[in-house]
Amino acid sequence: MNARTEPGPAAPGATARPPLLRELLLVATLFLLYKAGRRLAAGHTGEAFRNAHRVWDLERAAGLPGEGAAQSLLLRDGTLIHLANTYYATVHFPATAAFLVWLYLRRPAHYRWARRVLAALTAAALALHLAFPLAPPRMLAATGLVDTARLYGPSVYGPPQADRLANQFAAMPSLHFGWALAVAVGLLVATRSRWRPLWLLHPLLTLLVIVGTANHYWLDALVATALLGLALAVVRPPRRTAVPARRARGPLPAAEEPAPAGAGR
């Protein structure tokens, strides 16, 4: 009996690309719901600052390094801190969108998985924003940190009392870091290049930026990592399609056909 060398038939729809218009509407709806939810969490100024003191004290009790170490590194050069502020302001959404677009075009099955993971992570983050408003370290005088975006630019935030576009008291968890880590994990899973571990530079650089600009505490990134781990545990990854080492061969060429009995005698 000959061993089967061809892979079995793929499951129906396993790699089918979902309709583009539906996906655009779905992602846009999820984004609008998230923005609306963040606005619901705004306005809890007193609670946000009390929680900020608790987080700061907890980090010191746990022996975490001070956020000031990361900020001092960036403040050594005005150009460096300006680049960090620019990275914080401009990379977050475009990088995540480019990741989803690439998966949609090149890895449809991984796209569905990544979209669900990001949706689960974002929903969990929104619930925590509502339950635990938190002022960022740049607003907390006890940290000794400065608002680098306000001093060196560019800044995406206005005064908290007048900022109608963003909820600045939604520091925990950091979705800047959570999404960056999700993008890196997604690309590690979806690609096979030997250079793919370099994708981890994106969340590592994001971590330096969010802490160094005093927009987040270390704990914000740790909580985002834990929530992403839960999302990855809940959302089933796509099945890896087996690639046969050698396809079934057709008829042997004449030079390889066995010689008839008695030939060459």
Side-chain angles (χ1 to χ4, degrees):
M1 179 181 294
N2 293 331
R4 184 174 179 175
T5 56
E6 289 291 341
T15 58
R17 188 175 292 114
L20 177 60
L21 180 58
R22 188 192 71 183
E23 291 303 308
L24 291 174
L25 290 174
L26 177 61
V27 172
T29 300
L30 290 174
F31 176 75
L32 291 175
L33 288 174
Y34 170 69
K35 293 295 288 185
R38 280 176 64 97
R39 294 305 306 150
L40 290 175
H44 302 280
T45 304
E47 186 179 359
F49 277 94
R50 287 192 295 272
N51 288 335
H53 283 285
R54 294 188 185 105
V55 168
W56 181 255
D57 292 340
L58 177 60
E59 286 190 341
R60 306 291 77 79
L64 291 176
E67 285 78 359
Q71 185 165 93
S72 297
L73 179 64
L74 296 179
L75 287 175
R76 291 180 179 180
D77 183 82
T79 301
L80 186 61
I81 191 63
H82 182 80
L83 289 174
N85 292 330
T86 302
Y87 190 95
Y88 181 86
T90 63
V91 172
H92 177 47
F93 285 107
T96 308
F99 164 68
L100 289 174
V101 169
W102 184 84
L103 286 183
Y104 179 84
L105 295 175
R106 302 296 298 274
R107 303 287 191 276
H110 288 87
Y111 164 79
R112 295 174 186 268
W113 167 70
R115 182 198 63 196
R116 291 166 184 161
V117 168
L118 284 170
L121 168 63
T122 305
L126 177 57
L128 192 52
H129 292 163
L130 292 168
F132 192 78
L134 178 65
R138 58 185 166 81
M139 293 184 182
L140 193 64
T143 66
L145 300 172
V146 299
D147 188 341
T148 62
R150 182 176 59 83
L151 293 177
Y152 297 91
S155 176
V156 294
Y157 301 122
Q161 300 83 356
D163 192 349
R164 299 181 178 276
L165 298 178
N167 173 17
Q168 298 187 50
F169 297 145
M172 181 182 290
S174 167
L175 278 180
H176 270 76
F177 181 75
W179 284 11
L181 185 58
V183 167
V185 170
L187 290 172
L188 284 172
V189 172
T191 59
R192 293 291 177 267
S193 169
R194 63 177 179 173
W195 300 105
R196 61 197 178 102
L198 292 177
W199 291 118
L200 292 173
L201 291 176
H202 177 40
L204 289 176
L205 182 58
T206 300
L207 179 61
L208 174 63
V209 165
I210 64 173
V211 174
T213 58
N215 280 292
H216 287 282
Y217 307 88
W218 296 113
L219 199 56
D220 297 338
L222 292 176
V223 172
T225 302
L227 293 180
L228 176 61
L230 289 174
L232 291 171
V234 170
V235 182
R236 181 178 300 178
R239 291 184 178 181
R240 185 174 298 177
T241 304
V243 178
R246 185 179 183 183
R247 295 185 178 277
R249 299 178 61 181
L252 292 173
E256 297 183 19
E257 290 182 358
R265 290 185 181 178

